[in-house]
Amino acid sequence: MQNGTDKGKKKRAAALAAVVVVVFLALYFGAPAAALRELGEETRPVLLMMLPVLLVGIAIAVGVVIVLFQRLREIDKGEEDEAKKY
C-alpha cells in the first residue's frame, strides 16, 4: 500500500509543478499582450511583433504538458527511480 501512496504523491507533485510552470508562462507571455490589447487599435503593430514571442510561450507550455504525461506514464510503470542507478 505504501508504494501506491508514494506513486500518488509523485503524480501530484509532477502535476503541481507543471501547473505552476504553465501559469507562470501564461502570466509572463500573456499579460503584456493582454495589456496591449486593452489599449486599443494603436497597439496592433506591437501585438503583431509580439506574436512570435507568444507562440514560443505556447510551445513551451505544450512541451511542459507533454513531458507531464510522459512523467505520469513513467510513474505508473515504476520507472521513476531508474535514473538513480546511474
Side-chain angles (χ1 to χ4, degrees), residues 5 24 47 53 60 67 81 83:
T5 305
F24 173 77
L47 280 173
V53 175
I60 293 171
V67 170
D81 295 323

Side-chain angles (χ1 to χ4, degrees), residues 33-48:
L36 284 172
R37 186 171 169 249
E38 292 297 319
L39 291 176
E41 285 292 318
E42 65 272 2
T43 61
R44 183 167 293 202
V46 178
L47 280 173
L48 290 174

Side-chain angles (χ1 to χ4, degrees), residues 21-79:
V21 170
V22 169
V23 167
F24 173 77
L25 289 170
L27 292 174
Y28 187 78
F29 289 106
L36 284 172
R37 186 171 169 249
E38 292 297 319
L39 291 176
E41 285 292 318
E42 65 272 2
T43 61
R44 183 167 293 202
V46 178
L47 280 173
L48 290 174
M49 290 181 351
M50 285 184 63
L51 187 61
V53 175
L54 291 172
L55 292 175
V56 167
I58 291 169
I60 293 171
V62 168
V64 167
V65 171
I66 290 170
V67 170
L68 170 65
F69 286 120
Q70 290 175 350
R71 177 70 178 140
L72 294 177
R73 254 188 266 126
E74 284 178 1
I75 292 171
D76 283 338
K77 290 181 181 179
E79 299 173 3

